[in-house]
């Protein structure tokens, strides 16, 4: 019996759809949520309503529903999915299952992950290849710890598109109020998680409301049905715009005349004639041919499995990374990384493993456990002694030889790795590279007794950095000043890092070109991190025009401790205001590379707050920032408990 | 004449690139399968490709040739023959091996056949275990293969849906669905302990329709009995069984009739039901599947009505 072979679009008339299934790429997504939130029922419903089940499948399902079902006389759609004997007997989902279905518009691959105790491991497995997550919430229960946990893991694994599926809406009388309240809760919680799109849909998986068709029971809901959204959502990642990367899988020596390098383009694009770098040796060469059985290609984009030949005899073998030489990946022996621990045996500092990254596998030692992430509250706890099953935390790793990588935040393909137990050969951890640590090779972090957590507790606040970015003259410094005054009046501990002030001292040596701006932002970011570790609410007012620089700073902070605020005003307004006379100086040629004049500004894509300073007074804008801060700095679980100290 | 010339001068694309490209969906599936095959060849000492000569196997062979081009696939192909294979399938197998210069291995359980095991008298589950599962295991052991590619797809069956692309088997080829390695990103853990082997499924994320779409797009040769033609059959237990050779045993009252049929899957011929069909081209097959009301395994008597029979077979070492 099969559960998912069907691809016949019922309900959606293929004749009316311009794009047939086979002209589109499949959307790979994951469903997650707490036990009994109805994940299996939802997928069963999607299969049932979007494609129609096949006759032998329905016969099997009827039989199963009679024997194992929990829905009385109706078909128990969850039984379509739980295929293992133990799952049927116990009525639970044990392992990740992959399901396939298509509508007239798109093909789908769903990773159905269990909500039970081994959640993190299985979630990470499903999430690592997904482009979108459907996060289920029971409308009666609202956001549970498990919901928050799953949202955090989804974010950590780099999924940027989320559907908040508020399920069982029939059991709260299709209440808009209830729906709105859950959505509002989620917005507050998820703000620091850096999602690019969050679409909330009220639905009933059991009865099909808003799954494939809009429900009459929710006239107040104006968005798409779940399936319409999944058909339409655009998850094309920046990976196509990213720098070229390809791990060497296999060297093809078809004959004495042919030596090619086989691999899959991880990101970016490669064309014949391109200059490329072989990261292990540092040699550069040019691409001579892109060989496939169907004929040579002129260029190949991310995802394509190809074979390259080069113009020079270069030393290249499995494990090497081929890259764009002007945007090189980092190479290092020491890495800072986030791990999702999957081993039954706990991991501790000093343990040795095999690290597999790209096509390279090297011996590696976990040299230090930095902290663990409480995924329910997004709090970081310093100095764990070991990582148990399902722990997420940051570590430092030393590999036996240098490895090439990009930070995971920049590139999911080249920033991911696994750790393999050398004795049992089991996969014990999924890893996400934060950064290389080699420049400070001989400098080791000195352990301190008064930790960031202790300092924060003394100040009775959860410290964070609020990063105000925007054009010169948009009002950042004015707003930041007002915010700090308000917080000081409330007895909060703060500091303010103003870009212009810092250029008087710390950054006096820096100009305004892109490299100097990057360094400016990096330094301010590091200072902000130190200030935040000191327990302070740190306000930063800095033009910081480039997204990549800001993102790099954000990655320095634990999840939830860094908030981006976009102070938005048109260039004309800023120029008219010119509070410091900078536009005038730039016009006079005394400042080059002035943002808003001869240098572009890249606004944040998912700021926690947008302040339109043409519409708001500085006081009103400050008030919003203060509200945002106050909502976050209270310890989320009723105070810091002694276990955290 | 002048029209042709005008067309050519306007057309800036190299004619070698003029072949119609695969859809993004099929291209992604092909690229993924190539990646998996290369990973196996790079990381295992002695891999083999299981070649059952069916539609999935035909796609696998085609992709294997692409993955290692211009070299030939650097592994042998293994066919487990039950002795009751369709004649058309054996002909196709030998033609492919000859045309592509495959290193083809054929294994069968001759001892069981000599002892009288056959699809008419032997209970179907036992027949399948002896003639397919046990032969497969002994062939893998005999050659010391540490990794074996199979054409299994997750859409075929519920137990398959739970299986990893790199499916770890402990000594004796045992699959434990409750203790599978997590599979993250494209980072497959290929490490084995002594006695362990790996089954690898490059077509995990394909559906039956994807397979046929790909066969059509790439013009892949298939066993002709996938296409409809007038053939001699008997109706047995609700299935249409084709009379493939003189060894057929008839039940009282059974009559050979000519029907226009084709096969959706190919197993042992006395145990594989045909479907009534007018699909005489791959194009027709695609349309037929899109309109179908039943899944492809419906005609397989080997699967039986037994709950979770595939899971049990897999635990015993079946693919």
């Amino acid at each position: 019996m099969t559960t998912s072979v069907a691809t016949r679009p019922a309900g959606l008339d293929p004749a009316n759809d311009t794009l047939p299934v086979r002209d589109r790429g499949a959307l790979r997504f994951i469903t997650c949520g707490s036990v009994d939130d109805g994940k299996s029922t939802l997928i069963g419903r999607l299969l049932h309503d979007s494609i129609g089940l096949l006759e032998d499948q329905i016969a099997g399902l009827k039989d199963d529903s009679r024997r194992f079902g929990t829905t009385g006389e109706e078909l128990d759609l969850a039984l379509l999915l739980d295929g293992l004997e133990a799952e049927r007997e116990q009525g639970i989902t044990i392992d990740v299952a992959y399901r396939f279905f298509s509508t007239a518009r798109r093909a789908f691959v769903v990773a159905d992950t269990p909500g039970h105790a081994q959640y993190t491991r299985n979630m990470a497995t499903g999430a690592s290849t997904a482009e979108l997550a459907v996060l289920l919430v029971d409308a009666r229960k609202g956001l549970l710890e498990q919901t928050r946990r799953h949202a955090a893991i989804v974010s950590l694994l780099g999924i940027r598109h989320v559907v908040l599926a508020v399920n069982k809406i029939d059991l709260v009388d299709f209440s808009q109020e209830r729906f709105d309240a859950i959505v509002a809760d989620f917005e507050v919680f998820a703000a620091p998680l850096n999602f690019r799109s969050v679409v909330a849909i009220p639905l009933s998986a059991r009865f099909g409301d808003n799954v494939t068709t809009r429900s009459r029971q929710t006239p107040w809901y104006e968005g798409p049905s779940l399936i319409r959204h999944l058909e339409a959502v655009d998850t094309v990642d920046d990976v196509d715009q990213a720098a070229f990367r390809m791990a060497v899988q296999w060297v093809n020596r078809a004959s004495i005349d042919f030596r090619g390098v086989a691999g899959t383009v991880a990101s970016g694009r490669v064309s014949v004639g391109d200059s490329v770098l072989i990261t292990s040796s540092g040699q550069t060469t040019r691409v001579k041919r892109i060989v496939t059985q169907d004929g040579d290609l002129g260029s190949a984009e991310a995802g394509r499995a190809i074979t390259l030949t080069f113009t020079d005899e270069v030393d290249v073998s499995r494990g090497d990374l081929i890259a764009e030489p002007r945007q090189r990946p980092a190479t290092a022996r020491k890495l800072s990384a986030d791990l999702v621990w999957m081993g039954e045996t706990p991991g501790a500092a000093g343990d040795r493993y095999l690290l597999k990254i790209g096509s390279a596998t090297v011996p590696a030692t976990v040299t230090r456990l930095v902290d663990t992430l409480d995924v329910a509250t997004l709090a970081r706890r310093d100095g764990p002694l070991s990582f148990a099953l399902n722990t997420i935390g940051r570590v430092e790793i030393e590999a036996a030889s240098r490895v090439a990588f990009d930070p995971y935040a920049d590139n999911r393909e080249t920033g991911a790795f696994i750790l393999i137990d050398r004795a049992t050969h089991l996969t014990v951890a999924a890893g996400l590279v934060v950064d290389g640590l080699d420049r400070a090779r001989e400098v080791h972090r000195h352990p301190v007794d008064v930790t960031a957590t202790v300092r924060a507790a003394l100040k009775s606040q959860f410290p964070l950095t609020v990063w105000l970015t925007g054009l010169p003259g948009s009002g950042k410094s004015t707003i930041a000043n007002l915010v700090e005054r308000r917080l000081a009046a409330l007895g909060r501990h703060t500091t303010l890092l103003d870009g212009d002030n810092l250029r008087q001292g710390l950054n006096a040596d820096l100009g305004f070109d892109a490299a100097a701006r990057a360094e400016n932002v990096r330094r301010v970011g590091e200072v902000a991190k130190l200030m935040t570790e000191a327990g302070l609410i740190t306000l930063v007012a800095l033009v910081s025009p480039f997204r990549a620089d800001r993102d790099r700073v954000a990655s320095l902070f634990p999840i939830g401790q860094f908030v981006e605020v976009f102070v938005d005003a048109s260039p004309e307004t800023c120029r008219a205001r010119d509070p410091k006379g900078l536009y005038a100086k730039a016009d006079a040629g005394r400042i080059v590379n002035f943002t808003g004049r001869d240098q572009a500004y890249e606004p944040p894509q998912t700021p926690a707050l947008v302040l339109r300073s043409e519409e708001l007074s500085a006081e009103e804008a400050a008030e919003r920032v203060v509200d945002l801060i106050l909502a976050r700095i209270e310890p989320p679980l009723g105070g810091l408990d002694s276990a955290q100290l | 004449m002048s029209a042709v010339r005008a067309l050519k001068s306007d057309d800036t694309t190299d004619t070698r690139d003029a072949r119609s490209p695969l859809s993004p969906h099929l291209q992604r599936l092909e690229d993924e399968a190539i990646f998996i095959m290369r990973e196996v060849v790079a990381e295992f000492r002695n891999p083999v490709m299981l070649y059952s000569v069916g539609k999935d196997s035909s796609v696998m062979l085609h992709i294997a040739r692409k993955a290692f081009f211009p070299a030939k696939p650097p592994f042998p192909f293994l066919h487990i023959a039950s002795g009751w294979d369709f004649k058309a399938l054996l002909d196709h197998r030998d033609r492919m091996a000859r045309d592509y210069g495959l290193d083809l291995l054929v294994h069968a359980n001759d001892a069981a056949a000599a002892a009288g095991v056959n699809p008419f008298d032997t209970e179907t589950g036992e027949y399948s275990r002896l003639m397919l599962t046990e032969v497969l295991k002994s062939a893998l052991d005999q050659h010391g293969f540490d990794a074996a590619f199979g054409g299994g797809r997750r859409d075929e069956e519920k137990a398959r849906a739970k299986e990893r692309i790199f499916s770890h088997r402990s000594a004796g080829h045992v699959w434990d669905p409750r203790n599978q390695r997590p599979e993250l990103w494209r980072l497959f853990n290929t490490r084995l302990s002594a006695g362990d082997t790996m089954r690898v499924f490059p077509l995990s994320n394909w559906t039956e329709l994807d397979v046929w779409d790909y066969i059509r797009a790439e013009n892949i040769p298939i066993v002709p009995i996938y296409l409809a033609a007038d053939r001699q059959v008997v109706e047995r237990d609700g299935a249409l069984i084709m009379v493939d050779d003189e060894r057929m045993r008839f039940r009282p009252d059974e009559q050979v009739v000519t029907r226009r049929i084709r096969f959706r899957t190919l197993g042992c011929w006395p145990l594989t039901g045909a479907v009534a069909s007018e699909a005489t081209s791959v194009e027709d097959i695609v349309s037929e599947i899109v309109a179908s009301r039943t899944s492809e395994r419906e005609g397989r008597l080997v699967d039986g009505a037994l709950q979770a029979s595939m899971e049990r077979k897999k635990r015993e070492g079946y693919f």
Side-chain angles (χ1 to χ4, degrees):
Chain A
M1 244 174 325
T2 109
T3 59
S4 47
V5 72
T7 38
R8 175 177 13 74
L12 300 166
D13 181 4
N16 292 335
D17 275 291
T18 48
L19 267 180
V21 172
R22 57 185 72 101
D23 289 344
R24 290 186 174 235
L27 177 75
R28 297 189 182 194
F29 70 98
I30 178 178
T31 55
C32 43
S34 191
V35 180
D36 293 332
D37 279 350
K39 289 185 303 297
S40 296
T41 308
L42 178 63
I43 298 178
R45 174 59 68 184
L46 282 172
L47 296 174
H48 184 274
D49 286 10
S50 65
I51 61 175
L53 292 175
L54 302 173
E55 280 164 9
D56 53 328
Q57 295 172 330
I58 290 175
L61 183 59
K62 276 184 184 156
D63 184 42
D64 287 352
S65 298
R66 240 186 352 262
R67 291 169 59 186
F68 309 106
T70 57
T71 51
E73 292 300 301
E74 297 162 51
L75 290 181
D76 186 347
L77 295 170
L79 291 173
L80 274 176
L81 304 178
D82 293 334
L84 299 176
E85 287 180 341
E87 293 178 317
R88 291 157 173 276
E89 284 155 13
Q90 297 169 43
I92 58 165
T93 309
I94 289 173
D95 205 344
V96 184
Y98 296 88
R99 308 288 164 190
F100 306 83
F101 66 100
S102 303
T103 65
R105 292 189 172 82
R106 203 170 206 174
F108 300 93
V109 182
V110 196
D112 176 25
T113 59
H116 274 268
Q118 294 185 334
Y119 46 83
T120 309
R121 174 165 66 169
N122 290 309
M123 270 274 311
T125 299
S128 70
T129 50
E131 299 150 318
L132 175 144
V134 176
L135 190 59
L136 265 91
V137 179
D138 185 326
R140 297 168 301 175
K141 298 176 188 163
L143 298 196
L144 300 178
E145 193 171 304
Q146 190 80 326
T147 323
R148 297 170 196 273
R149 187 171 274 135
H150 284 174
I153 297 165
V154 160
S155 163
L156 183 79
L157 269 288
I159 296 177
R160 292 289 159 255
H161 301 272
V162 171
V163 174
L164 183 70
V166 181
N167 191 24
K168 306 192 185 181
I169 196 79
D170 53 303
L171 298 181
V172 294
D173 297 326
F174 299 94
S175 160
Q176 178 178 10
E177 223 173 26
R178 185 74 192 124
F179 175 74
D180 289 345
I182 291 170
V183 173
D185 270 3
F186 187 76
E187 274 172 4
V188 170
F189 171 76
L193 295 181
N194 200 21
F195 294 130
R196 210 166 285 162
S197 79
V198 178
V199 172
I201 303 175
L203 54 84
S204 164
R206 187 165 168 196
F207 298 106
D209 295 271
N210 292 327
V211 177
T212 51
T213 49
R214 294 269 301 276
S215 171
R216 280 193 212 121
Q217 308 279 358
T218 54
W220 44 267
Y221 172 69
E222 293 178 344
S225 67
L226 175 60
I227 198 76
R228 282 291 173 193
H229 176 61
L230 295 177
E231 286 175 334
V233 65
D234 179 13
T235 58
V236 173
D237 219 356
D238 298 340
V239 84
D240 294 332
Q241 276 81 56
F244 168 66
R245 304 280 187 261
M246 185 181 104
V248 175
Q249 261 191 300
W250 185 70
V251 178
N252 190 336
R253 292 186 193 86
S255 67
I256 49 165
D257 303 321
F258 186 89
R259 184 160 172 271
V261 168
T264 296
V265 180
S267 62
R269 165 179 285 275
V270 65
S271 301
V272 172
D274 279 0
S275 177
V276 291
L277 167 81
I278 289 126
T279 46
S280 59
S281 64
Q283 288 176 283
T284 56
T285 181
R286 282 184 188 282
V287 175
K288 188 173 170 189
R289 292 174 60 198
I290 301 173
V291 180
T292 79
Q293 195 186 29
D294 300 321
D296 281 13
L297 302 176
S299 65
E301 70 279 14
R304 290 304 309 275
I306 53 172
T307 300
L308 298 178
T309 65
F310 302 123
T311 53
D312 306 287
E313 284 291 323
V314 284
D315 177 19
V316 57
S317 57
R318 180 172 168 87
D320 285 343
L321 188 66
I322 315 276
E324 149 74 59
R326 283 158 303 178
Q327 289 168 279
R328 295 179 179 224
T331 62
R333 278 184 59 224
K334 296 180 189 177
L335 305 173
S336 155
D338 285 324
L339 295 186
V340 179
W341 199 260
M342 304 189 158
E344 305 284 344
T345 313
D351 290 350
R352 290 151 191 272
Y353 302 98
L354 291 174
L355 180 152
K356 183 171 186 184
I357 183 165
S359 57
T361 303
V362 294
T365 306
V366 174
T367 51
R368 184 167 159 254
L369 306 183
V370 179
D371 62 24
T372 56
L373 175 71
D374 181 336
V375 279
T377 61
L378 305 181
R380 293 262 180 184
R381 297 179 187 191
D382 288 344
L385 296 174
S386 67
F387 278 13
L389 179 64
N390 296 318
T391 296
I392 293 179
R394 188 155 297 178
V395 298
E396 290 172 11
I397 292 179
E398 189 171 330
S401 54
R402 293 170 79 83
V403 291
F405 62 88
D406 294 291
Y408 188 80
D410 296 347
N411 195 324
R412 271 175 92 174
E413 292 285 335
T414 51
F417 64 88
I418 56 172
L419 293 182
I420 301 168
D421 187 294
R422 302 190 72 167
T424 64
H425 297 148
L426 295 172
T427 303
V428 296
L432 305 92
V433 179
V434 175
D435 212 344
L437 299 170
D438 275 14
R439 264 193 236 169
R441 178 173 305 179
E442 301 315 321
V443 183
H444 296 279
R445 197 182 166 96
H446 188 79
V448 292
D449 293 330
V450 180
T451 63
T453 313
V454 174
R455 294 186 204 114
L458 287 172
K459 294 185 167 56
S460 300
Q461 64 184 24
F462 260 25
L464 82 165
T465 285
V466 179
W467 190 279
L468 292 94
T469 172
L471 288 170
S474 59
K476 299 179 297 298
S477 299
T478 311
I479 295 167
N481 185 46
L482 289 169
V483 170
E484 190 172 31
R485 275 175 55 179
R486 276 289 315 280
L487 292 173
L490 292 169
R492 295 299 181 179
H493 303 268
T494 60
T495 190
L496 172 54
L497 304 175
D498 185 276
D500 290 353
N501 294 352
L502 291 168
R503 281 190 182 272
Q504 312 296 316
L506 179 70
N507 295 338
D509 56 327
L510 298 176
F512 292 89
D513 62 11
R517 290 226 184 245
E519 176 61 12
N520 185 31
V521 171
R522 188 190 73 80
R523 287 185 197 173
V524 177
E526 289 288 352
V527 173
K529 181 164 184 272
L530 291 173
M531 294 294 172
T532 308
E533 283 173 359
L536 301 174
I537 298 159
T538 308
L539 305 166
V540 177
L542 195 69
V543 177
S544 46
F546 302 121
R547 209 172 279 143
D549 295 338
R550 296 193 304 266
D551 289 350
R552 202 164 297 128
V553 170
S555 71
L556 294 173
F557 289 79
I559 292 172
Q561 265 193 24
F562 179 89
V563 176
E564 222 175 17
V565 172
F566 178 34
V567 184
D568 189 7
S570 70
E572 294 72 25
T573 305
C574 296
R575 171 175 288 277
R577 285 180 188 158
D578 202 14
K580 294 169 184 163
L582 293 173
Y583 283 89
K585 280 185 189 166
D587 290 343
R590 289 170 58 198
I591 306 176
V592 291
N593 291 322
F594 188 72
T595 305
R597 184 180 180 279
D598 43 10
Q599 199 172 57
Y601 174 80
E602 300 170 351
Q605 284 168 325
T606 51
L609 200 58
V610 178
L611 303 171
R612 299 193 203 292
S613 67
E614 286 155 319
E615 295 162 25
L616 295 172
S617 69
E619 287 74 15
E620 288 168 330
E623 197 65 28
R624 294 201 186 175
V625 179
V626 169
D627 288 349
L628 175 85
I629 292 170
L630 293 180
R632 283 161 195 268
I633 61 174
E634 295 296 342
L637 291 180
L640 294 160
D641 57 64
S642 56
Q644 284 178 301
L645 298 182
Chain B
M1 202 59 178
S2 62
V4 171
R5 193 158 294 170
L7 191 67
K8 275 198 169 171
S9 65
D10 282 344
D11 186 3
T12 52
T13 29
D14 189 319
T15 47
R16 280 174 307 171
D17 293 336
R19 65 167 54 231
S20 67
L22 287 174
S23 71
H25 179 57
L26 289 180
Q27 186 65 63
R28 184 172 174 177
L29 291 172
E30 181 194 82
D31 285 322
E32 181 178 73
I34 290 175
F35 176 84
I36 292 162
M37 290 184 189
R38 288 170 170 175
E39 202 65 7
V40 168
V41 163
E43 296 239 311
F44 290 91
R45 181 179 41 77
N46 188 17
V48 65
M49 180 168 281
L50 264 286
Y51 185 52
S52 70
V53 206
K55 59 185 185 297
D56 304 302
S57 273
S58 299
V59 167
M60 292 265 287
L61 168 59
H62 185 79
I63 294 178
R65 294 178 62 236
K66 286 192 171 193
F68 304 100
F69 178 86
K72 281 204 296 188
F75 41 74
F77 290 74
L78 172 64
H79 180 225
I80 301 300
S82 68
W84 296 88
D85 311 277
F86 286 103
K87 181 169 185 311
L89 181 147
L90 297 178
D91 291 346
H92 185 77
R93 177 193 73 189
D94 296 340
R95 187 163 55 247
M96 289 297 109
R98 190 179 59 238
D99 288 357
Y100 296 143
L102 305 182
D103 176 5
L104 178 71
L105 305 170
V106 179
H107 279 249
N109 193 343
D110 297 332
V117 172
N118 71 67
F120 302 107
D121 301 317
T122 316
E123 185 270 321
T124 305
E126 183 64 3
Y127 169 83
S128 159
R129 187 181 70 78
L130 286 170
M131 303 308 271
L132 301 170
T133 307
E134 294 305 322
V135 194
L136 170 63
K137 282 156 53 170
S138 75
L140 294 176
D141 292 342
Q142 188 187 324
H143 294 276
F145 294 125
D146 53 350
F149 293 105
R153 309 187 318 264
R154 284 170 175 157
D155 79 324
E156 281 178 82
E157 205 275 339
K158 288 177 192 176
R160 289 254 197 247
K162 297 274 173 179
E163 189 159 19
R164 303 288 190 253
I165 294 172
F166 281 68
S167 181
H168 176 260
R169 305 294 167 101
S170 44
H173 307 277
V174 177
W175 181 58
D176 179 0
R178 301 189 74 157
N179 189 25
Q180 303 190 75
R181 291 175 177 175
E183 214 155 76
L184 297 141
W185 299 287
R186 282 192 290 191
L187 297 167
F188 300 109
N189 175 355
T190 55
R191 298 276 144 175
L192 297 177
S193 300
D196 291 357
T197 53
M198 197 74 85
R199 303 282 172 95
V200 185
F201 303 102
L203 307 186
S204 284
N205 290 325
W206 296 52
T207 64
E208 184 191 14
L209 183 61
D210 294 330
V211 166
W212 282 115
D213 258 344
Y214 186 75
I215 287 171
R216 178 178 59 171
E218 294 283 302
N219 199 18
I220 297 171
I222 49 164
V223 181
I225 54 177
Y226 278 118
L227 299 173
D230 291 335
R231 299 188 171 101
Q232 300 214 303
V233 297
V234 295
E235 274 188 49
R236 177 174 292 181
D237 304 332
L240 295 170
I241 302 299
M242 184 164 96
V243 182
D244 200 52
D245 63 42
E246 70 292 342
R247 291 177 295 169
M248 178 70 182
R249 286 219 229 133
F250 297 97
R251 295 178 189 168
D253 306 334
E254 274 183 348
Q255 289 192 338
V256 177
V257 291
T258 301
R259 297 280 286 276
R260 178 153 289 219
I261 56 155
R262 70 176 200 87
F263 290 86
R264 275 180 92 173
T265 68
L266 303 180
C268 298
W269 66 259
L271 298 173
T272 306
V275 292
S277 170
E278 296 293 329
T280 53
S281 68
V282 176
E283 189 88 25
D284 293 344
I285 291 177
V286 170
S287 313
E288 191 181 276
I289 292 169
V290 168
S292 168
R293 291 300 313 157
T294 54
S295 71
E296 72 189 297
R297 298 198 81 87
E298 186 207 30
R300 283 239 190 159
L301 303 186
V302 173
D303 287 355
L306 184 67
Q307 256 325 322
S309 95
M310 176 72 91
E311 180 183 351
R312 286 190 189 146
K313 281 161 64 183
K314 288 174 72 65
R315 283 170 181 271
E316 287 173 2
Y318 183 75
F319 240 82

